[in-house]
Amino acid sequence: MRLIVAMTGATGAVYGIRLLKALQHLGVERHLILSRWAEVTIVKETGLSVSEVCAMASVVHAPDNQGATISSGSFRHDGMVIAPCSMKTLAGLRSGYADGLIVRAADVSLKERRRLVLLARETPLNEIHLENMLALSRMGAIVAPPVPAFYNHPQSIEELVDHTVGRVLDLFGLEMPQLKRWAGMRPDKDVAGRPHVGVRRNG
Ligand SMILES: Cc1cc2nc3c(=O)[nH]c(=O)nc-3n(C[C@H](O)[C@H](O)[C@H](O)COP(=O)(O)O)c2cc1C
């Protein structure tokens, strides 16, 4: 299996890094593109150097190399993830303005009907952000903002991040062994595991 991972300058560089590590563990070929601002967030947020992150990839492509293999639809791959995806990159992709390799490779993934997952990150969201996400979803991209889950009782930031990454892997049919899935609630017990006594009235 071969995937493209792009990291842009939204906060949350850790998502791209954990994704690269998980894919490496699973033996997936990883083509990495870092935007200039991703390089800044990597250093500011993670304590890792850019070269340490690049070392997690099978192939690293320069963000302005429009002649890279992944710039062409003839280069076969199994999908692309932008983690995290800034609102600027989202806007470029929505409008088809592929002035760098990240948007070009994503644009190609869309036209070739390959899986494209966007960990779009901003808050709060304005109308432009929301419209761009809706439009891209309608075009076939999967908009998967990195929003943490709490039903699995995460004990660390790493566990919070891994849950999101595990759900991204799910979208490619890949399994993260440590992913704690929702196991369902028994209809005869309440959320704390006590026997159900119907509606509780206080006061
Ligand atoms: C520390 C830091 C955090 C940022 N967080 C976000 C964010 O969460 N979402 C976003 O859309 N832009 C964020 N930005 C702004 C983007 O980096 C900026 O719009 C940049 O031009 C994006 O370019 P790129 O998509 O090519 O990486 C952040 C910038 C910095 C320096």
Side-chain angles (χ1 to χ4, degrees), residues 3-107:
L3 292 182
I4 301 172
V5 176
M7 294 173 62
T8 67
T11 187
V14 66
Y15 289 107
I17 292 169
R18 296 295 302 175
L19 177 63
L20 283 171
K21 279 192 181 155
L23 293 174
Q24 189 172 23
H25 189 71
L26 292 166
V28 174
E29 187 177 309
R30 305 157 311 282
H31 286 250
L32 176 66
I33 324 161
L34 301 177
S35 77
R36 175 173 158 244
W37 283 98
E39 295 195 0
V40 173
T41 53
I42 285 168
V43 172
K44 273 215 156 296
E45 297 180 349
T46 72
L48 292 175
S49 67
V50 170
S51 42
E52 282 171 314
V53 174
C54 288
M56 296 170 191
S58 318
V59 182
V60 180
H61 301 275
D64 57 352
N65 181 10
Q66 302 297 69
T69 48
I70 57 176
S71 196
S72 168
S74 65
F75 182 80
R76 295 173 79 168
H77 62 80
D78 301 290
M80 174 167 180
V81 184
I82 308 185
C85 179
S86 76
M87 294 302 105
K88 182 208 128 185
T89 292
L90 192 82
L93 181 57
R94 189 259 169 104
S95 62
Y97 191 68
D99 64 337
L101 184 60
I102 293 179
V103 176
R104 171 64 188 165
D107 188 89

Side-chain angles (χ1 to χ4, degrees), residues 69 124 150 157:
T69 48
F150 295 94
I157 292 177

Side-chain angles (χ1 to χ4, degrees), residues 113-151:
R113 305 288 191 267
R114 294 184 185 133
R115 183 141 289 197
L116 174 64
V117 178
L118 309 172
L119 273 69
R121 199 278 156 202
E122 187 49 279
T123 194
L125 297 163
N126 66 28
E127 201 172 328
I128 299 171
H129 306 149
L130 291 164
E131 272 193 356
N132 286 343
M133 285 189 223
L134 178 60
L136 283 162
S137 177
R138 286 181 172 156
M139 290 171 205
I142 298 178
V143 180
V147 179
F150 295 94
Y151 57 78

